[in-house]
Amino acid sequence: MYEQMVKIRYYEDQMVEVYTEGKKPVFNIGAGTVPGEMHLSTGQEPAAVGIGAHLKKEDTVTSPHRPHHHAIAKGVDLKRMTAEIFGKETGLGKGKGGHMHLFDPEVKFACSGIVAAGIPHAVGAAMAAKMKGKDWVAVAFIGEGAANAGAFHESLNLAALWNLPLIVVVEDNAYGISVPKKSSTSVDSNDKRADAYGIAGAYVKDNDPIAMYLAAEEAVSRARNGQGPTIIEIETYRYLGHFQGDPELYRDKAEVPGLRELDPIVKLKEKLIEKSTDEKELDEMEERAKQEVDEAYQFARDSNFPAPEAALEDVFTS
């Protein structure tokens, strides 16, 4: 989990730099090495690795518009994922989807730019697993704002009614774009909504990867053993804006520096050292993770863009 968290953080830190290429001195969202919007998950790593540690290749994960940490924790091919974000033909979707439309059937991962859109898909995957008699689970990651969408409630009602192996992970990073949770949501934590569907709920405080691991362990075991869905809400922290280029006028300037003092990667490293983990071993993990990320970015840079005529391929017509 520590190595995965380091990999995710380094990947996102590198993306901050890459995304700004060609967008200075005046920010232009359509310019640069990676045009279009970019939503990064720096600070939210525990939500992904805590449950990812329990998942198999056959389990399904759906993710929203902030997907990189989930994709990495699920084992999505890092080179092809990065090439997709760069719009290159070697990408997961041949460069046609971009960072909000990552799809890797090899590890059963997908994401969507539409809020709450991944939950019904996860319900479908969970239903398929049950119909096939498999012990596979489906995990839908959402932001806390998505818990107020109709798809959340309709999906959980069906999942509870049909006793499906579904886990909905609500990442509460305090803001739905720029709207504070307390201004949009009638409950202080969305795991409490589990009672309305007669299913299990769990709350993870303080962005704690170990607590997330333990909550996920119970939820995954419950799902695999035919005991139905779970809602897990984790209190997590978004160090960056909703998107790159977000002026973040909605939060106090002192908020992020204060959150960074609680960095979950630093805290986990301290805990591992306290438990007698060799620092050299941790250094090797960090180096290995960074090397993999560097190779992925280089692969994306070296890959070719799709030919113009490729725009007419892999499309549906009627």
Side-chain angles (χ1 to χ4, degrees):
M1 286 171 57
Y2 178 74
E3 184 170 342
Q4 287 279 61
M5 289 174 69
V6 169
K7 184 189 300 183
I8 292 165
R9 177 67 59 84
Y10 185 64
Y11 187 88
E12 300 285 66
D13 286 347
Q14 295 303 106
M15 186 58 73
V16 170
E17 300 300 318
V18 171
Y19 185 72
T20 57
E21 292 176 5
K23 292 184 175 68
K24 294 179 179 180
V26 179
F27 181 79
N28 179 352
I29 198 169
T33 305
V34 178
E37 282 198 302
M38 178 58 60
H39 309 83
L40 300 178
S41 58
T42 308
Q44 297 184 202
E45 299 87 359
V49 302
I51 196 163
H54 301 288
L55 300 182
K56 303 188 294 188
K57 184 177 180 181
E58 294 83 5
D59 297 325
T60 294
V61 168
T62 66
S63 178
H65 54 274
R66 199 179 310 282
H68 302 161
H69 54 323
H70 308 141
I72 293 172
K74 186 59 172 76
V76 170
D77 186 296
L78 200 60
K79 289 182 178 179
R80 294 184 65 209
M81 171 177 140
T82 311
E84 182 62 33
I85 295 169
F86 276 54
K88 300 297 185 71
E89 64 179 2
T90 54
L92 294 167
K94 301 181 182 178
K96 300 176 182 179
H99 108 101
M100 285 190 284
H101 304 96
L102 304 171
F103 178 62
D104 190 351
E106 290 296 315
V107 296
K108 297 173 76 171
F109 175 87
C111 65
S112 171
I114 300 173
V115 173
I119 316 175
H121 295 168
V123 170
M127 183 172 70
K130 184 172 182 178
M131 292 175 70
K132 288 175 178 285
K134 303 292 186 180
D135 69 346
W136 306 338
V137 304
V139 179
F141 286 97
I142 62 171
E144 87 287 339
N148 296 322
F152 175 87
H153 301 284
E154 293 174 35
S155 297
L156 281 164
N157 180 62
L158 282 179
L161 185 65
W162 296 338
N163 197 43
L164 300 180
L166 174 75
I167 302 165
V168 176
V169 178
V170 184
E171 293 179 270
D172 176 15
N173 62 20
Y175 298 98
I177 305 179
S178 59
V179 179
K181 182 181 178 182
K182 64 182 179 182
S183 299
S184 66
T185 304
S186 62
V187 291
D188 56 6
S189 61
N190 287 291
D191 61 296
K192 293 180 179 177
R193 287 174 159 166
D195 287 342
Y197 305 107
I199 62 175
Y203 183 71
V204 177
K205 297 192 302 181
D206 302 326
N207 208 22
D208 185 338
I210 301 301
M212 183 64 188
Y213 175 91
L214 295 173
E217 184 176 41
E218 288 188 18
V220 171
S221 176
R222 189 180 299 119
R224 294 205 196 282
N225 292 317
Q227 296 174 319
T230 302
I231 300 172
I232 302 174
E233 175 156 299
I234 177 171
E235 178 190 21
T236 191
Y237 312 129
R238 190 186 79 198
Y239 293 166
L240 305 176
H242 170 66
F243 59 90
Q244 292 307 101
D246 179 359
E248 300 182 66
L249 301 177
Y250 48 88
R251 58 182 180 180
D252 189 280
K253 297 295 183 185
E255 181 179 313
V256 173
L259 293 175
R260 285 187 178 272
E261 291 179 5
L262 306 172
D263 194 301
I265 297 179
V266 174
K267 289 170 71 175
L268 183 57
K269 185 173 186 177
E270 290 172 349
K271 186 172 292 187
L272 289 168
I273 293 171
E274 182 184 312
K275 298 291 184 180
S276 302
T277 304
D278 187 349
E279 284 192 64
K280 183 180 179 182
E281 183 181 353
L282 296 177
D283 291 342
E284 289 172 353
M285 289 182 188
E286 293 169 10
E287 187 58 37
R288 188 162 57 239
K290 291 178 180 180
Q291 182 177 344
E292 185 179 348
V293 169
D294 288 340
E295 289 174 358
Y297 275 95
Q298 194 59 51
F299 175 81
R301 288 187 185 278
D302 293 342
S303 296
N304 295 321
F305 287 104
E309 57 269 23
L312 303 177
E313 299 171 353
D314 305 307
V315 295
F316 291 99
T317 62
S318 60

